[in-house]
Amino acid sequence: MAVKKKFPYRAAVVDCKGNCEEGKTCKYGCIGCGKCVEACKMGAISIGENGVAVVDEAACIACKKCVKECPQQIIHIHECANYIVVKCSNKDKGKAAKEACANSCIGCGICEKTCTAEAVKVVDNCAVIDEAVCLSCGMCAVKCPRHAITDLRGILTD
């Protein structure tokens, strides 16, 4: 179903990759409950093969129903033109975050130091991108040692 969108285009994004270590789960990540899937009347959200909600940006109309339904509060609406996003919501410090997930943000600050636009800040041990300031250059994603910052297009990161 084609959806006519107004510029600037917005869509939901899930702040979790779901790469938890075998037998462990991140208490901050997606639990794969499917509440967001049920809430989405456009069919833009599904549960991916790794058990984490995945958003089809083309089908999403940014109605925020999934945001309201997510018990983990890890879905937010982002500007589609900004394809660099943090796919982690872990608030634990370095070692604990590393133990829970292969792609968790450890709050090292490399992204913050790399960002020439000063759009990335580490808040509560997790990177946060200010989309109003972000240039989408992707340097933070390239430099992130844990791959917690991702290029949604899959060009700069996988």
Side-chain angles (χ1 to χ4, degrees), residues 67-132:
V67 175
K68 293 174 187 167
E69 288 298 319
C70 180
Q72 295 293 88
Q73 299 176 336
I74 61 165
I75 302 176
H76 74 274
I77 304 299
H78 82 106
E79 297 285 338
C80 294
N82 291 339
Y83 40 80
I84 306 298
V85 296
V86 180
K87 295 287 272 178
C88 181
S89 53
N90 196 323
K91 307 280 186 258
D92 291 336
K93 289 189 178 188
K95 185 177 179 184
K98 270 185 180 179
E99 290 175 357
C101 178
N103 295 117
S104 61
C105 179
I106 56 172
C108 67
I110 291 172
C111 54
E112 195 170 349
K113 292 173 191 152
T114 302
C115 183
T116 58
E118 298 181 4
V120 185
K121 302 288 181 223
V122 175
V123 179
D124 295 329
N125 302 311
C126 191
V128 177
I129 298 174
D130 181 350
E131 291 187 351

